[in-house]
Amino acid sequence: MLIQLIRLPPIHKIQSFHIRDATVYMLGIARWLFYKLLTAEIYNQAWGPWFRKGSISYQEISDLEHAVMELELAGYIDMLSCTIDPFEYDMKEILDVLSVPEMKEILKELPKDNTICTRRHELVSTLLSSYRNGTCASLPKRILKWTGTCIRISKMADELLWRIQRLFFLNGDQDLSSFLLVEFGIVKFPDYVCSISHRIFQERNDLLEYEDAIRVAQVMDESLDNNKMDLVTRCIDLSENRLCIMPKRENTITPERLRSFFSRFSASWVYSKILTLGVSVYERDRRYEDAVRILKTLLSTVACDRRRGYWALRLSIDLEHMGRPNESLSTAEGGATDPWVRAGSKFALQRRVLRLSKPPRRWKVPSYADYVKRNIREVSIEGRPLNCETGAKNVFYGYDGELCGVEQLALQYYADEGGGWQGTHSEGSIWMTIFGLLMWDVMFSDIQDVFQSKFQTAPLDLGTDDFYKSRENIAESQLKRIRDGMAEEMLISSWELHQGTSCQGVNWARYSLTDLRAVVACVGGHRLASLLRHLAVDYRSWSSGMPDLLLWRFLDERGGGEAKLVEVKGPRDQLSEQQRAWILVLMDFGFDVEVCKVSPVTKRR
């Protein structure tokens, strides 16, 4: 038995160790009793988080009493018995240990009332009410009479486990169940090499600051959900103060930091995310001065971040709201030339400059004026709407008489009188799937530090400039093969080798190999290679905003085909700046792109 082989150190001592040492100890403890308390096997026997000690019986744990004592002394579990004051614990959690018949028996011992309880939640509610109003002050003792001594994982141990899981998986979405999902064959992760040469957290304080920032973000989210605006304001103020006093090493611009993809694991990154959300809160309440102050703080303290485009755009807009057009224009001009401002944000700032810089405020026309003003081809179609209410979702009667949205109506139009096109309403989803399949070997190539565990669906640097720079040779080799007409062959090979394997962006269930092959064949090698390189160079900035529809059709029996991309807009919809930016880029790559505007049938018709 592991408990007898390794003497458990007190949890407060483990917390003072290096996290790697804590992980070793935790893995040892978890192997039997502690592990059993964490697994679904135990959770299926009780409602949790408390468990009856008398119900725990495993062949591996020959001396349960000794194991429980060791865990309690070390601080890994809490124990509830007749000798312990139950007031420090949540009574509802303790009640969850009881079965329905046991709760009914306890109710029989209480003063009679007219309440008839049969369901679990009703019984729990009645017992809680009796306990809180003093009718049944001895409820804890009555519970323990039925259950005997109960144990649960302590809060400190739970926090330590949370820390280990976050360090191992590097996110808040995965936990120990990931091991089970892989073990049972439910989830399969890609094959890659974990070459780790640098630690994400250089010092223990880096980790602690990061965890504190995450807790503030959690409080912020919960406060917004519960409309506790006082707490929201406190989270914003705290984040602003901490961001301003962060050590300079987090925000220093050095060649190493420019290539670093660990930045999102820093406290400053989390606080900047909280403040970005805080800006929208203040703007909603028209507190423009507060929003401007935060935006200026972000732009002055976080130098290398893709969100700088959003911050600069919002700052320019808010300054205009405050009646400061000259400062608004200067902000837009600065943002438009910032190398970290890209895609839709850059396009939006350029359009603002053109609108605000008219004489006499500015006389010189920016060099990008002609590009921004390029015409985008439009097609108009009519449909019979179900309703015309302002703010309601656009619903039309399709060509087949069934109700549908504007995108489905446009698909039917293009399949019929629009030219006999096949297609899908996918936005960027189908392109992300094609990118993942054709660039699989690029994504999962052996690069230092981008894979920290065997449970990743993408390298850590995907979405940063480091992704393409670190793989330029292998990426260009793949792109050359695509340009040379080998995309369909590469697609089939990747599909057969990796089908069902989890990969960021790849949607195995939504798209068939037949449709993907048709798309690749009809788009053409040169256009497809240009689009995939665009995503490889800046995946994060361009992974959203692509046209709604991807259409294709074959022109002859020999396989010649063509493709079209269509952005669909309802009667009151307008193109977003990101959508405009994508359309112009696709036009540069030689794609056939247009906007399809759907309007209600005229009264005359």
Side-chain angles (χ1 to χ4, degrees), residues 567-578:
E567 180 64 42
V568 184
K569 291 299 175 186
R572 293 173 294 274
D573 298 333
Q574 299 292 327
L575 286 174
S576 70
E577 302 297 357
Q578 179 75 0

Side-chain angles (χ1 to χ4, degrees), residues 235-523:
C235 289
I236 295 171
D237 292 341
L238 178 63
S239 301
E240 185 177 10
N241 292 333
R242 289 187 177 177
L243 184 64
C244 290
I245 63 174
M246 278 286 156
K248 291 184 179 179
R249 57 185 167 79
E250 281 202 6
N251 299 320
T252 301
I253 305 176
T254 64
E256 290 77 15
R257 289 209 60 78
L258 286 173
R259 293 193 299 270
S260 174
F261 42 85
F262 291 161
S263 60
R264 70 175 183 268
F265 302 108
S266 65
S268 62
W269 190 90
V270 179
Y271 287 130
S272 65
K273 192 172 182 180
I274 295 171
L275 292 177
T276 302
L277 183 58
V279 167
S280 63
V281 171
Y282 285 153
E283 287 178 337
R284 183 188 63 191
D285 296 336
R286 299 189 178 182
R287 295 172 58 178
Y288 296 121
E289 288 187 6
D290 290 326
V292 165
R293 185 191 72 250
I294 292 176
L295 288 165
K296 287 184 175 180
T297 298
L298 288 167
L299 288 166
S300 63
T301 56
V302 186
C304 307
D305 197 295
R306 303 292 177 83
R307 293 168 294 179
R308 288 181 62 84
Y310 175 79
W311 299 336
L313 178 60
R314 297 315 309 173
L315 179 57
S316 178
I317 293 172
D318 291 342
L319 287 169
E320 188 176 15
H321 285 317
M322 296 171 67
R324 293 152 66 176
N326 290 329
E327 192 176 351
S328 174
L329 173 58
S330 298
T331 299
E333 289 175 327
T337 58
D338 188 330
W340 288 94
V341 177
R342 304 171 186 180
S345 296
K346 186 181 186 73
F347 192 80
L349 286 164
Q350 290 174 338
R351 281 163 56 88
R352 282 190 66 78
V353 170
L354 294 180
R355 183 173 65 81
L356 295 172
S357 64
K358 295 177 180 179
R361 192 173 289 128
R362 294 285 190 276
W363 292 93
K364 186 177 179 180
V365 178
S367 58
Y368 47 76
D370 290 338
Y371 183 85
V372 171
K373 293 179 178 178
R374 289 172 68 188
N375 289 325
I376 298 173
R377 186 170 72 248
E378 293 184 359
V379 172
S380 296
I381 66 173
E382 291 184 339
R384 187 160 59 94
L386 174 66
N387 58 60
C388 296
E389 298 176 11
T390 303
K393 181 177 176 61
N394 294 313
V395 179
F396 288 81
Y397 289 96
Y399 283 49
D400 55 2
E402 301 293 328
L403 295 177
C404 63
V406 289
E407 294 85 4
Q408 287 71 33
L409 182 65
L411 278 173
Q412 293 178 22
Y413 162 77
Y414 283 105
D416 188 6
E417 59 189 86
W421 296 88
Q422 291 179 265
T424 176
H425 171 213
S426 61
E427 299 180 15
S429 174
I430 194 168
W431 294 111
M432 298 303 107
T433 296
I434 292 172
F435 177 87
L437 291 172
L438 292 181
M439 304 294 280
W440 192 286
D441 292 340
V442 179
M443 289 179 65
F444 299 105
S445 55
D446 186 4
I447 303 294
Q448 291 265 315
D449 298 318
V450 299
F451 295 110
Q452 300 277 326
S453 80
K454 288 293 185 179
F455 297 86
Q456 293 177 219
T457 60
L460 293 179
D461 62 347
L462 181 64
T464 71
D465 292 354
D466 292 325
F467 179 80
Y468 179 77
K469 291 177 181 177
S470 301
R471 303 166 177 80
E472 185 172 357
N473 290 335
I474 184 174
E476 287 301 328
S477 175
Q478 288 289 87
L479 293 170
K480 182 179 185 303
R481 295 177 64 198
I482 293 170
R483 278 196 307 273
D484 292 343
M486 299 179 64
E488 190 174 354
E489 179 183 336
M490 293 166 60
L491 184 76
I492 296 170
S493 175
S494 183
W495 180 282
E496 292 176 348
L497 283 173
H498 309 298
Q499 187 176 9
T501 303
S502 298
C503 173
Q504 182 173 318
V506 177
N507 192 327
W508 298 102
R510 184 172 181 181
Y511 305 108
S512 67
L513 178 59
T514 301
D515 284 347
L516 295 175
R517 289 178 61 184
V519 170
V520 166
C522 292
V523 167

